[in-house]
Structures are given as structure tokens and as C-alpha cells.
Amino acid sequence: MNLATVSANGQITVPVEIRRRLNLKAGDKLLFLRKQNGEIVVNNTTALALQTAQEAVAGSQFSEDEVLAEVMDIRYGDR
């Protein structure tokens, strides 16, 4: 079990095991999703953006610059 305490400012420290599992690094953003059953799911949006970009270019022959542009577009929400 991993436990975090909420500060007076609403901040938490993500336990090290969770940071490792989500591959979190300084500056990463977390996405909190509430499922229909009330369960809260936490995702690393940086990793999700990369995964989305990889899926978008899978099987194609884009240049490295084109792939980087796609990642930046997805990551910073220019879509």
C-alpha cells in the first residue's frame, strides 16, 4: 500500500514506488480520471502523449523531425 498526505495547499508527494511505476520525472503532468464506478485512475500524461504519437506513426516512414513535431503537437495540445 502507498499512502500520501495532502498538505494545506492541496499538494501531495507521490510515493517513490508509484513514481517509478508511472515513470514520473520532474515537470511531468498527472491526469486524474474518475471512472463511472467512482474509482480514480492516475496517468502520466507525458507517457500517454508519447504512446499516442508512437501509435500515430506506427508502420509509416516519417522522418525524425516529423515524429518530433507530432509528439510536440500531442504533448502541448495543439490539436
Side-chain angles (χ1 to χ4, degrees):
M1 178 188 311
N2 291 288
L3 186 64
T5 301
V6 180
S7 74
N9 293 330
Q11 298 172 322
I12 63 168
T13 298
V14 178
V16 68
E17 181 181 331
I18 303 303
R19 290 194 312 264
R20 287 180 183 147
R21 286 186 180 204
L22 292 175
N23 196 27
L24 292 175
K25 295 173 184 53
D28 284 352
K29 297 192 183 309
L30 296 177
L31 175 65
F32 295 85
L33 299 169
R34 183 172 181 260
K35 296 172 86 175
Q36 271 189 327
N37 65 1
E39 180 181 7
I40 304 296
V41 178
V42 181
N43 287 309
N44 177 345
T45 60
T46 304
L48 287 175
L50 182 56
Q51 180 181 359
T52 302
Q54 288 172 332
E55 290 169 359
V57 298
S60 62
Q61 294 186 0
F62 289 103
S63 72
E64 185 176 332
D65 288 338
E66 291 170 321
V67 172
L68 180 58
E70 181 72 15
V71 169
M72 299 303 272
D73 183 40
I74 292 168
R75 183 172 186 179
Y76 294 109
D78 292 340
R79 291 183 161 223

